[in-house]
């Protein structure tokens, strides 16, 4: 294992193994100066301690920027969820890391873990405070409520307002029509904004006059793809990134904008709904051209803000209000502090300052 500690962490790296089930897992608590370490639990065959540390550090910044009283952490369970006894693995992992919950770690869904696994994890630890993203029947606020997409919508409005684009004339293209993409489109179209293109793994559907949300949702659920939508042109999934729209929202996969297509991006504003839809170097290419990039950990923080609300026992209505306030305030703050279009540098500086301040106040430095 080759994790280099720095002034922020990680505070704890705990690798666990359960002899009976053969479960291997890891918990990395990066920094708890602002509160218990919060981050998802991924369940994949090749998870490594280094990978989990990278994700834990990202959570330290994300939670600080979202301005919620959580530190950063992440956990991983190694196993193929299709072949191992998933429930037994989750329960074994919960027993091993129980001493750190919830003071140092609070779980949440990530790759191959959903509200179902969060319910099992919390049950095994013995407290609902062990995880967020639990089913609503046991007091959870699941991601299925659409908090992340709602936050992406709020960030988009702030970004458009910042460059004075008239919302009535705004055109938007969204990559992905999963949890994040559907709710982003729903809130944008409710506001009367034209979403002109949406993609999924089968391709892009495009209509310059706008797509109908309910119709698209119905088409996707009945036919399995947005490209079966009747009233539009079918393009490739890759073509979405080249469209002449005001706002481009990559909302599905990592590294979709790269050296080969970055110069084809015509949108003036790119709101990163997915995690790492492009590397920082690629963002800088867009920034140099005068484009506005709302970084992932600013735009897609609705999910972690919802987690905090669940942890505090707030209801759905209160949660949406808090997501709205925090995403709007933090996006405005980042844009106001940005020098030379480098929104990521500004966002990171704000997050680091908040963590450093909490560490100083606790006498940790
Ligand atoms: P999801 O699994 O619900 O949806 C993923 C979507 O991507 C699906 O519609 C799928 O069709 C589409 N897709 C797959 N291949 C594609 C392709 N080649 N071209 C276009 N679309 C393709 O996932 P999600 O929860 O919506 O998450 C999407 C992204 O947002 C991920 O990067 C995730 O890490 C990030 N994110 C999600 C949340 C959340 O609360 N769900 C929070 C923060 C960040």
């Amino acid at each position: 294992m080759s994790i280099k500690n720095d002034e922020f962490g990680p505070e704890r790296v705990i690798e666990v193994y359960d002899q009976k089930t053969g479960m291997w897992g890891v918990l990395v608590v990066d920094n708890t100066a602002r509160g218990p370490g919060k981050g998802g639990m991924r369940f994949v065959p090749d998870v490594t301690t280094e990978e989990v540390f990278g994700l834990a550090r990202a959570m330290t910044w994300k939670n600080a920027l979202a301005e919620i009283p959580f530190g950063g952490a992440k956990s991983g369970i190694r196993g193929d969820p299709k072949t191992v006894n998933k429930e037994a693995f989750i329960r074994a992992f919960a027993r091993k890391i129980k001493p750190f919950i919830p003071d140092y770690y609070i779980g949440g869904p990530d790759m191959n873990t959903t509200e179902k696994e969060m319910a099992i994890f919390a049950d095994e630890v013995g407290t609902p405070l062990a995880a967020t993203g639990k089913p609503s029947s046991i007091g959870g606020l699941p991601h299925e409520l659409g908090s992340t997409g709602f936050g992406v919508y709020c960030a988009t409005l702030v970004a458009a307002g910042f460059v004075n684009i008239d919302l009535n004339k705004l055109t938007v293209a969204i990559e992905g029509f999963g949890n994040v993409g559907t709710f982003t489109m729903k809130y944008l179209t409710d506001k009367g904004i034209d979403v002109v293109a949406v993609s999924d793994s089968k391709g892009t559907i495009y209509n310059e006059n706008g797509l109908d949300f309910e119709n698209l949702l119905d088409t996707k659920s009945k036919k399995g793809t947005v490209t079966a939508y009747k009233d539009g042109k079918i393009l490739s999934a890759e073509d979405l990134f080249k469209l002449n729209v005001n706002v481009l929202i990559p909302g599905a996969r990592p590294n979709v904008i790269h050296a080969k297509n970055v110069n084809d991006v015509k949108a003036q504003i790119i709101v990163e709904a997915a995690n790492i839809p492009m590397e920082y170097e690629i963002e800088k290419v867009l920034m140099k051209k005068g484009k506005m990039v709302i970084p992932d950990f600013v735009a897609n923080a609705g999910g972690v803000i919802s987690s905090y609300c669940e942890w505090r026992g707030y209801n759905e209505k209160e949660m949406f209000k808090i997501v709205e306030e925090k995403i709007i305030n933090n996006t405005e703050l980042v844009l106001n502090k940005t020098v030379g279009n480098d929104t990521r540098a500004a966002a990171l500086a704000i997050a680091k300052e908040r963590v450093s301040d909490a560490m100083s106040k606790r006498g940790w430095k």
Side-chain angles (χ1 to χ4, degrees):
M1 194 188 76
S2 61
I3 290 176
K4 222 166 154 266
N5 293 81
D6 61 20
E7 59 179 306
F8 294 105
E11 291 170 17
R12 287 175 171 81
V13 179
I14 301 132
E15 293 182 348
V16 297
Y17 176 68
D18 180 62
Q19 297 90 331
K20 191 172 172 193
T21 56
M23 181 281 308
W24 181 92
V26 58
L27 166 65
V28 179
V29 179
D30 182 44
N31 186 298
T32 57
R34 290 179 50 85
K38 177 82 184 78
M41 187 184 303
R42 64 177 48 185
F43 199 134
V44 287
D46 53 359
V47 69
T48 65
T49 301
E50 287 81 358
E51 174 191 356
V52 173
F53 165 59
L55 296 161
R57 175 58 55 88
M59 290 309 297
T60 300
W61 306 143
K62 187 170 189 167
N63 292 336
L65 190 80
E67 227 181 358
I68 49 180
F70 283 148
K74 197 90 182 184
S75 66
I77 299 174
R78 194 177 281 168
D80 180 350
K82 291 195 194 88
T83 55
V84 302
N85 182 337
K86 207 172 170 185
E87 177 169 347
F89 268 41
I90 296 275
R91 288 194 185 275
F93 187 60
R95 285 194 298 276
K96 295 286 175 192
I97 66 168
K98 185 173 171 169
F100 304 98
I101 299 168
D103 289 349
Y104 298 99
Y105 182 60
I106 302 161
D110 196 74
M111 285 166 76
N112 296 322
T113 58
T114 64
E115 57 172 52
K116 185 174 164 220
E117 284 71 35
M118 293 310 109
I120 291 167
F121 182 75
D123 179 68
E124 189 66 35
V125 175
T127 168
L129 297 179
T132 63
K134 301 182 297 295
S136 41
S137 56
I138 58 167
L141 291 173
H143 282 180
E144 289 69 21
L145 291 173
S147 52
T148 302
F150 177 66
V152 171
Y153 151 79
C154 295
T156 305
L157 291 194
V158 172
F162 217 79
V163 289
N164 290 321
I165 305 180
D166 180 355
L167 290 187
N168 293 319
K169 296 195 183 122
L170 199 69
T171 54
V172 182
I174 303 174
E175 180 224 11
F177 204 52
N179 178 286
V180 175
T182 50
F183 283 102
T184 302
M185 181 177 180
K186 174 185 163 18
Y187 289 107
L188 287 169
T189 48
D190 281 356
K191 182 83 178 168
I193 292 169
D194 280 339
V195 174
V196 296
V198 171
S199 67
D200 62 20
S201 58
K202 306 266 167 38
T204 299
I205 190 75
Y206 174 62
N207 183 331
E208 61 183 4
N209 297 316
L211 303 165
D212 181 78
F213 174 68
E214 293 301 335
N215 192 340
L216 194 63
L217 198 63
D218 190 54
T219 306
K220 173 87 180 167
S221 85
K222 287 194 179 130
K223 305 266 169 70
T225 169
V226 293
T227 56
Y229 181 89
K230 286 276 177 286
D231 193 16
K233 235 190 277 175
I234 300 172
L235 308 172
S236 73
E238 181 63 23
D239 283 342
L240 177 114
F241 304 103
K242 305 175 185 166
L243 289 172
N244 196 3
V245 289
N246 301 116
V247 182
L248 173 63
I249 304 184
R253 298 160 303 145
N255 295 312
V256 285
I257 301 173
H258 41 71
K260 286 192 180 137
N261 68 1
V262 64
N263 289 316
D264 297 328
V265 173
K266 298 185 187 65
Q268 185 180 357
I269 299 169
I270 299 94
V271 180
E272 298 183 346
N275 284 320
I276 325 176
M278 64 186 113
E279 298 291 343
Y280 187 25
E281 291 311 308
I282 301 294
E283 289 179 341
K284 283 192 199 157
V285 174
L286 296 173
M287 291 163 180
K288 274 211 182 101
K289 290 182 172 186
K291 295 186 188 295
M292 178 191 282
V293 178
I294 307 295
D296 45 9
F297 72 116
V298 180
N300 71 22
V304 290
I305 299 169
S306 165
S307 301
Y308 164 67
C309 294
E310 172 177 342
W311 203 70
R312 290 293 305 266
Y314 296 149
N315 64 31
E316 189 180 327
K317 198 168 154 217
E318 291 165 321
M319 177 273 282
F320 276 108
K321 192 162 172 284
I322 293 170
V323 168
E324 183 174 21
E325 278 168 14
K326 286 196 180 291
I327 296 280
I328 289 177
N329 288 344
N330 291 324
T331 310
E332 279 174 354
L333 183 66
V334 168
L335 290 173
N336 283 324
K337 293 237 168 178
T338 293
V339 180
N341 281 337
D342 196 340
T343 43
R344 183 170 292 274
L348 206 53
I350 295 165
K352 281 190 179 172
E353 200 179 301
R354 287 177 179 166
V355 175
S356 291
D357 179 58
M359 289 173 73
S360 295
K361 296 223 164 88
R362 285 175 181 266
W364 289 4
K365 51 192 281 188

